[in-house]
Amino acid sequence: MEALLRWLGVQPRPFRALLRTFVALDLRGQFYGLATGAKAGELVSPLYWVVGQMLTVSLLLTALMQGRVEAWFYAFASLSATAVMVFSAVVVEFQEAAFDPKDITVVGHRPVSSRTWSLARGLNLSLYVALIGVAMTLFPTGMGLGLRDTEVRWLWLFPWANAVVAVGTAALALTVYASGSVAGPGENLKKVAAWVQILAIMALFYGGQLMLRDGSGGIGLVPLHLDPWVSYVPTLPLGHAVADGALRPLFLGTSVSTLLTVVAWAALRRAWERVSRVRSTDREVRVSAPPRAGTLSRPLVARLLGGRRPAAVHALVRTVLARDSELRARLVTVLAMPAAAAVLGPLTAQYAPPSQQSTTSVLPLATVALLASTLPTAMHALKASRDHRAAWRLAEVWGPSGRSGARTALLSWLYWPFVLAHAGLCAWWWSAPVEAALHGLVGLALLDFVSRLAAHSLWVRPILSVPPVRGGTLGGALGVVAGVGALASVLGGLWFAVAPWPLATAGFAALLAVAGQFVDREIR
């Protein structure tokens, strides 16, 4: 072994020490802490939870397809899921598993060659990818053997193809991000990729239920109506090769994955050398500073919000949202159910215009009602912040004007973009932009009315004033959550009743707007 390492230009002893250290840090580190919700003080590492989530995704996907599709599509879908999961894992934990510029502060002063460091980091990443690949292989390999058109060769052809996809995807991601001017993906992309597993589980669970309850055999018809661009996906020929027992595509895929692995190792070496040169010339890597508050009350915002006090609170809340990643994570999670409904509705042909008054036209209204019912949860989450000791700044301006500014900040940051995106989706799906615009208008009015009621019930004291530990629960807000959910359901039913008539729908939106103003005036 040492002879091989020396032939590769790798120092054996530093290599073993680095690899042992990297693996120990991986097992104890915060892999996927953002997606799994595990914290640093918990005994079980998030790495174990992420393996469980991978197994869940694989199990749900295979159970949904079992006995309903042919073997080639079964293999194609499973291999594609492996590619997506491995790519998201590499993106999220790129700095921890593949390339951490802070390593230079630990081993930069020691005579460790770039080949030694890059090989240790590469093998560390390969162990992580192997763990994910095995988790995504178990269920398709065992359950796929029970398909009608599979043979015993499935037991070794599918794991082979799955390993090719996992290694190739990881090597491609490593090559792309290690070759950049700043090694590693951006923070926003990492936060999005961290939720891929959770969203995949929700989509498979709820989408599978909708397809199975449909009763029209929609799952079995999916392979017959694939878009032309799917033929360019590399996992499609691999899926056919696994089902047909063809070895040439598998050997070709193995060769491509091996070549990508060599290129990725070279890119990793170049990245380490680049960081070493920066360190040797005493240049510092620029780190983006957190957003600053800036002017608290701009004239236009103050005029729109009705004064400088609500504009100041609006600016402070937006600044806290820009700086506090934990608060943003707690708020974004409340949109899981409405987002799932908006995605699964068109996919299952359950998203007809409400004016048709059919069973397939309920889900567009239900999506907005679900969105409105999440407002109390989001408002309760906004009570907590890691900067809660600075909440005294809000005490002097809190009251009706302060609640108005904070409510507008929450709506403009999280809810209004969702409603506008949903209206755009409806306009495209329905081919009726006017009805979709009216749909979005009623959604905005419904959110405004519900948010005013919830703000007066939940925001009696200044927000952002309690530690995040307390803000993670719904303690004292369950009654408001239940009441607002029931109210949103009733208003959604009324909306469905007037949906066939555009003038009546516009009048319903105007009535909600007037009711919101009435609530504000009476409670004050």
Side-chain angles (χ1 to χ4, degrees):
M1 183 63 180
E2 289 192 5
L4 177 61
L5 293 175
R6 294 185 187 279
W7 181 77
L8 293 173
V10 176
Q11 302 159 290
R13 186 176 178 183
F15 167 75
R16 288 193 295 267
L18 285 173
L19 182 59
R20 188 183 304 113
T21 303
F22 291 152
V23 172
L25 289 175
D26 288 352
L27 295 176
R28 302 170 187 172
Q30 292 302 301
F31 281 88
Y32 267 97
L34 181 61
T36 60
K39 304 301 180 183
E42 297 184 7
L43 296 178
V44 180
S45 169
L47 181 59
Y48 295 93
W49 295 114
V50 73
V51 172
Q53 292 179 175
M54 295 285 184
L55 290 171
T56 304
V57 170
S58 180
L59 175 61
L60 290 175
L61 181 60
T62 52
L64 183 62
M65 297 187 297
Q66 192 70 22
R68 299 180 178 89
V69 298
E70 297 179 354
W72 70 267
F73 186 80
Y74 191 95
F76 163 64
S78 300
L79 295 175
S80 301
T82 299
V84 173
M85 294 296 106
V86 170
F87 182 80
S88 67
V90 174
V91 168
V92 173
E93 297 303 331
F94 186 85
Q95 274 79 11
E96 288 78 1
F99 182 85
D100 189 357
K102 295 180 181 178
D103 288 350
I104 193 68
T105 63
V106 179
V107 299
H109 63 287
R110 298 183 179 274
V112 178
S113 65
S114 61
R115 288 175 179 265
T116 302
W117 177 90
S118 59
L119 183 60
R121 271 296 186 184
L123 285 180
N124 174 68
L125 177 64
S126 66
L127 293 175
Y128 182 48
V129 173
L131 187 63
I132 297 173
V134 170
M136 296 296 295
T137 304
L138 294 177
F139 289 110
T141 303
M143 298 175 65
L145 191 61
L147 298 176
R148 290 171 295 183
D149 50 346
T150 56
E151 300 177 3
V152 181
R153 63 192 179 194
W154 178 276
L155 288 176
W156 60 276
L157 287 179
F158 181 82
W160 180 7
N162 203 68
V164 168
V165 171
V167 173
T169 303
L172 182 61
L174 181 59
T175 302
V176 171
Y177 288 117
S179 303
S181 58
V182 179
E187 290 298 323
N188 292 331
L189 179 60
K190 290 173 64 176
K191 291 173 183 177
V192 172
W195 288 96
V196 168
Q197 293 180 41
I198 299 297
L199 295 178
I201 292 174
M202 293 184 60
L204 290 172
F205 183 76
Y206 293 107
Q209 289 191 52
L210 288 175
M211 289 184 179
L212 293 176
R213 293 177 180 179
D214 184 25
S216 59
I219 302 175
L221 298 177
V222 170
L224 303 177
H225 302 285
L226 294 178
D227 293 333
W229 61 267
V230 179
S231 59
Y232 298 100
V233 179
T235 53
L236 184 61
L238 288 177
H240 281 289
V242 172
D244 301 336
L247 299 181
R248 182 176 297 178
L250 292 176
F251 279 117
L252 178 61
T254 303
S255 303
V256 172
S257 296
T258 304
L259 179 62
L260 286 175
T261 302
V262 175
V263 174
W265 183 30
L268 198 59
R269 285 179 50 206
R270 294 295 184 119
W272 174 257
E273 293 171 356
R274 185 169 62 249
V275 173
S276 301
R277 287 196 299 268
V278 172
R279 177 72 175 181
S280 62
T281 56
D282 292 328
R283 288 184 295 174
E284 297 181 356
V285 179
R286 293 185 179 181
V287 180
S288 59
R292 301 183 64 182
T295 304
L296 290 182
S297 57
R298 297 177 181 178
L300 179 60
V301 177
R303 184 171 299 178
L304 292 175
L305 296 180
R308 297 183 61 185
R309 283 194 172 190
V313 175
H314 177 274
L316 285 173
V317 173
R318 291 297 296 259
T319 302
V320 171
L321 288 173
R323 292 180 175 178
D324 195 339
S325 59
E326 294 182 1
L327 178 59
R328 292 198 303 270
R330 292 199 305 271
L331 291 176
V332 171
T333 53
V334 304
L335 300 183
M337 288 295 292
V343 171
L344 296 175
L347 293 178
T348 56
Q350 304 286 324
Y351 230 62
S355 58
Q356 294 184 4
Q357 294 288 292
S358 63
T359 56
T360 60
S361 60
V362 177
L363 199 53
L365 302 181
T367 301
V368 180
L370 283 173
L371 182 66
S373 65
T374 63
L375 272 166
T377 306
M379 288 182 170
H380 184 71
L382 202 58
K383 290 182 179 180
S385 172
R386 63 187 182 187
D387 299 321
H388 60 94
R389 293 184 179 88
W392 58 269
R393 298 176 181 272
L394 292 172
E396 295 184 359
V397 296
W398 198 247
S401 59
R403 282 193 293 267
S404 175
R407 183 181 61 84
T408 307
L410 176 62
L411 290 176
S412 61
W413 182 80
L414 188 64
Y415 285 89
W416 290 348
F418 187 97
V419 173
L420 296 178
H422 183 251
L425 172 66
C426 293
W428 168 73
W429 187 256
W430 300 341
S431 299
V434 176
E435 185 174 358
L438 189 59
H439 186 82
L441 179 63
V442 179
L444 293 175
L446 180 61
L447 288 176
D448 180 75
F449 173 65
V450 172
S451 65
R452 291 176 188 272
L453 282 176
H456 286 295
S457 303
L458 294 174
W459 288 351
V460 179
R461 295 181 179 179
I463 59 174
L464 308 172
S465 58
V466 295
V469 176
R470 293 177 56 191
T473 62
L474 283 178
L478 289 175
V480 180
V481 172
V484 168
L487 178 62
S489 301
V490 172
L491 293 177
L494 294 176
W495 184 5
F496 184 76
V498 300
W501 303 281
L503 291 179
T505 305
F508 181 68
L511 182 62
L512 288 175
V514 172
Q517 297 293 331
F518 175 79
V519 167
D520 262 359
R521 185 172 65 251
E522 289 299 319
I523 295 181
R524 288 182 185 180

